[in-house]
Amino acid sequence: MRAVVQRVDGASVVVGGETVGEIVGEGLCVLVGVTHEDTPEKAAQLARKLWSVRILEGEKSCSDVNAPLLVISQFTLYGDARKGRRPTWNAAAPGDVAEPLVDEVVARLRELGATVQTGRFGADMRVSLTNHGPFTVLLDI
């Protein structure tokens, strides 16, 4: 699994003019990509890392300050543009594999006590955020 994690001062995702997920104030906006070898165990590991990684203001984690997370699926994290002008998506897992694993990340975060908002899997989404820092990290699990 791969995640692009941004420390934010608010973020939202809109589908068809409707806000489907939003966090207000300090938190994390997380774009999650799934590849073919990913498992529920990797999803749980990613959730634990997201909940405990110390990248908020003052080197705090979401678990330290009960900060919310906005988790959005993004298959393009496994795009490969090394050849030609058009990326390939061969490394990205198909939707029927990826969706349950993204859902597992969200479920595990909630089990840990996190407040989690989400996008809508497979939808044409508009993501808005205010990156605080800017601070962005890439996590590969």
Side-chain angles (χ1 to χ4, degrees):
M1 298 192 92
R2 180 171 291 163
V4 173
V5 184
Q6 298 182 75
R7 179 174 70 186
V8 299
D9 285 328
S12 65
V13 60
V14 173
V15 175
E18 172 194 358
T19 300
V20 297
E22 180 176 32
I23 61 173
V24 177
E26 182 179 48
L28 298 179
C29 181
V30 183
L31 306 174
V32 177
V34 178
T35 193
H36 302 282
E37 297 81 27
D38 288 334
T39 63
E41 292 76 24
K42 285 187 176 185
Q45 184 180 359
L46 177 59
R48 288 190 303 272
K49 178 64 83 171
L50 292 169
W51 187 231
S52 64
V53 67
R54 301 175 66 84
I55 62 174
L56 296 177
E57 189 75 30
E59 295 186 12
K60 302 286 186 185
S61 68
C62 286
S63 65
D64 291 334
V65 296
N66 201 29
L69 299 95
L70 177 60
V71 176
I72 303 164
S73 64
Q74 187 169 351
F75 78 93
T76 61
L77 294 183
Y78 279 102
D80 184 354
R82 290 178 288 181
K83 296 180 184 176
R85 299 182 305 152
R86 183 176 304 147
T88 64
W89 315 111
N90 297 336
D96 62 331
V97 172
E99 185 173 13
L101 290 174
V102 173
D103 290 345
E104 183 73 13
V105 171
V106 171
R108 293 299 185 104
L109 278 165
R110 289 179 174 149
E111 286 175 8
L112 292 167
T115 299
V116 184
Q117 295 287 308
T118 65
R120 188 170 294 152
F121 192 91
D124 181 19
M125 296 179 268
R126 301 290 187 262
V127 179
S128 300
L129 59 93
T130 301
N131 188 314
H132 178 186
F135 201 113
T136 303
V137 295
L138 178 63
L139 299 177
D140 277 307
I141 302 294

